[in-house]
Amino acid sequence: MRQRVVRVAVTAVLVALVLLAIPLALAIRSSLYADQRDTLERAALAAAVRVNPDYRTGDPAELPSPGAGERLGLYDPELALRAGGGPRGGDAAVRRALRGVIARDRTGGELVVAVPVSHAEEVIGVVRVSSAVSAVRDRVLLGWAALLGAAVLALTVAVLVARRQARVLAAPLEDLSRHSRAVTEGDLTARAAPSTIAEIDQVARTHNDMLHSLSELLRHERDFTANASHQLRTPLTGLQLTLEAGLAQDDDRLRPVLEEALAATRRLHHTVEEVLRLAGSPGPPHRTVPDRPVARLLEETEERWHGLFAQDGRRLDCAVQDAPAGVRVPGGPVAEILGVLLDNARTHGHGSVRVAVRDLDDALAFDVADEGTLRTGPARLFARGHTGAGTGGTGIGLALARDLAVSLGGRLFLAGGDPTTFTLLVPVRQEEPAGQSGPPLG
């Protein structure tokens, strides 16, 4: 911004200088030439009044001394030089002056003024005064040099003033930018300081008000997350303990039901943990999400969802196409994303559902496809609150799955609409021998 302010100011000054300097330079030139002609005319008039009318009969003609760089001469009506200096024969200016008018001319590198000498209403001679054009040209060049110096001085002052004003204007904006970067890095206590510029102060106040509103909104969301964390974890833990206590009772009739309920409760507990992790829930330090082999993950997914699809008379196939057996993925989040996609396929899809895993070197691609047709746009499909019943898409589930994928450094997207196919990309790492460790690939 500083450079832009300086450029604007300098451009404005340059335009003003050009618009003023060119007419002023022409005025200086015209004025100096006119002044020199006026000086020559005054000298010629002063000499004309001193000319003796009897100079033609032999009396000496008394002429004043010419000025520096000037030549002064007296010519008779026959254009002959009778006294002083000048060309031996009268020129065009002398001939015009013999007609009783003051003549001005520029010839032979000289400025010439010729004044008629009259006696008894008769022109008896002409006084001619001349000076070199180069002398006037030198004065014009000096005037132009002074004008250029003044323009350079004005431009220098303009640049200095513009730079100072640019600093004054840019400083509060740069301060606002620093505070915005601090907010981006997580410091919600940063506030923009007031300045002396009303418009920038208005922007700063709006920024601070917006930041205050965002801080309050985030505080409410943190409080809600903390409350949800407590209110959900405690009953789920109690329910798990109750089911485990029921399993301790040796009742073969209730054991399958209790085991299924306990498995569902554990899945619900894992789902709550993933949602709270994604929301940045306060509380105990976050533990690293454990990795699981992709083959084992698909087996668990098929065990969980096979019966549900079978109840609807539909088929579920899970297959690892070319991924090595040692490839591991974050178990909980990937299982939750696959659960959302399979639930979406069961609710809104048609026909058989296939889950396939493809190896992409540093990532795995999980493809979940059914035999339905999707007509909803991808942007609307992942929008929270949108439900796509009958079109293959749903709202908050897909949005949550997408956020979970991003939290893993992966991506969830719609790969095809006919048939409906969702693809989940997940960075992976190879299972390493015991005693070796290294960072995840990708």
Side-chain angles (χ1 to χ4, degrees):
M1 177 180 176
R2 296 189 181 189
Q3 294 181 354
R4 184 175 299 176
V5 171
V6 172
R7 284 198 300 268
V8 170
V10 171
T11 301
V13 172
L14 284 175
V15 171
L17 288 177
V18 169
L19 294 178
L20 291 175
I22 293 178
L24 186 58
L26 295 178
I28 289 174
R29 180 180 181 278
S30 176
S31 175
L32 289 177
Y33 275 97
D35 181 67
Q36 182 63 20
R37 288 190 178 95
D38 290 342
T39 300
L40 295 177
E41 184 175 338
R42 288 193 296 270
L45 290 173
V49 299
R50 297 180 60 178
V51 172
N52 185 357
D54 296 331
Y55 78 94
R56 289 182 297 179
T57 60
D59 289 345
E62 297 181 1
L63 297 176
S65 299
E70 297 177 356
R71 292 195 303 171
L72 189 150
L74 175 61
Y75 292 81
D76 59 18
E78 286 75 24
L79 303 180
L81 178 64
R82 301 296 295 271
R88 297 183 62 85
D91 53 14
V94 174
R95 288 193 294 270
R96 289 200 305 273
L98 286 174
R99 294 196 291 268
V101 297
I102 297 176
R104 295 184 175 188
D105 199 1
R106 178 175 176 174
T107 180
E110 289 185 324
L111 293 177
V112 179
V113 176
V115 176
V117 179
S118 300
H119 179 70
E121 297 182 358
E122 180 185 359
V123 177
I124 61 174
V126 173
V127 174
R128 179 184 183 276
V129 183
S130 64
S131 64
V133 174
S134 59
V136 184
R137 186 183 300 118
D138 292 342
R139 293 170 59 193
V140 171
L141 293 178
L142 287 176
W144 286 358
L147 180 62
L148 179 61
V152 171
L153 178 61
L155 184 61
T156 303
V157 173
V159 170
L160 296 177
V161 173
R163 293 183 63 179
R164 181 180 181 278
Q165 288 300 111
R167 286 195 299 270
V168 172
L169 291 173
L173 292 178
E174 292 171 352
D175 181 69
L176 182 59
S177 176
R178 285 192 297 270
H179 283 85
S180 298
R181 284 196 299 269
V183 172
T184 302
E185 294 169 359
D187 183 11
L188 298 181
T189 62
R191 295 293 186 272
S195 66
T196 58
I197 303 173
E199 292 79 3
I200 298 179
D201 284 347
Q202 183 177 359
V203 175
R205 285 193 298 270
T206 303
H207 169 81
N208 292 339
D209 292 342
M210 177 189 67
L211 189 56
H212 176 73
S213 300
L214 289 176
S215 300
E216 287 298 311
L217 179 61
L218 290 175
R219 184 180 65 81
H220 287 305
E221 289 186 353
R222 291 193 189 101
D223 292 343
F224 171 78
T225 305
N227 294 334
S229 173
H230 179 270
Q231 294 300 110
L232 290 176
R233 285 169 174 161
T234 301
L236 284 175
T237 302
L239 180 59
Q240 283 183 267
L241 294 176
T242 301
L243 293 174
E244 290 172 356
L247 285 175
Q249 304 295 328
D250 192 10
D251 190 340
D252 294 337
R253 293 176 303 171
L254 295 178
R255 178 172 295 276
V257 177
L258 292 176
E259 287 179 349
E260 184 178 353
L262 182 59
T265 304
R266 288 172 178 167
R267 288 194 297 267
L268 179 59
H269 182 79
H270 292 157
T271 300
V272 171
E273 290 294 330
E274 288 302 321
V275 172
L276 294 176
R277 179 185 67 82
L278 188 63
S281 172
H286 174 64
R287 296 175 295 177
T288 303
V289 178
D291 290 345
R292 279 190 281 176
V294 64
R296 176 58 183 162
L297 179 64
L298 286 186
E299 289 177 4
E300 295 175 353
T301 300
E302 187 169 13
E303 290 175 1
R304 176 184 174 187
W305 288 94
H306 178 77
L308 296 174
F309 278 96
Q311 291 176 4
D312 299 335
R314 299 172 63 185
R315 182 179 176 181
L316 173 64
D317 293 327
C318 296
V320 178
Q321 293 183 353
D322 54 3
V327 174
R328 305 175 69 88
V329 294
V334 174
E336 291 299 329
I337 297 172
L338 291 179
V340 170
L341 296 178
L342 289 173
D343 181 68
N344 185 70
R346 183 190 175 203
T347 305
H348 305 294
H350 302 281
S352 300
V353 177
R354 178 176 176 81
V355 179
V357 183
R358 296 178 286 117
D359 184 19
L360 302 178
D361 294 333
D362 58 349
L364 286 183
F366 291 78
D367 297 320
V368 179
D370 60 55
E371 297 177 356
T373 301
L374 179 67
R375 294 183 176 85
T376 303
R380 189 182 179 193
L381 188 67
F382 290 96
R384 289 183 179 271
H386 167 67
T387 56
T391 61
T394 187
I396 192 170
L398 289 177
L400 174 61
R402 180 192 56 190
D403 293 342
L404 284 171
V406 172
S407 71
L408 298 176
R411 188 161 65 96
L412 174 65
F413 59 94
L414 177 66
D418 188 13
T420 302
T421 304
F422 289 91
T423 297
L424 168 66
L425 299 180
V426 181
V428 297
R429 64 182 179 88
Q430 297 290 339
E431 186 177 12
E432 297 175 351
Q436 296 184 9
S437 63
L441 297 176

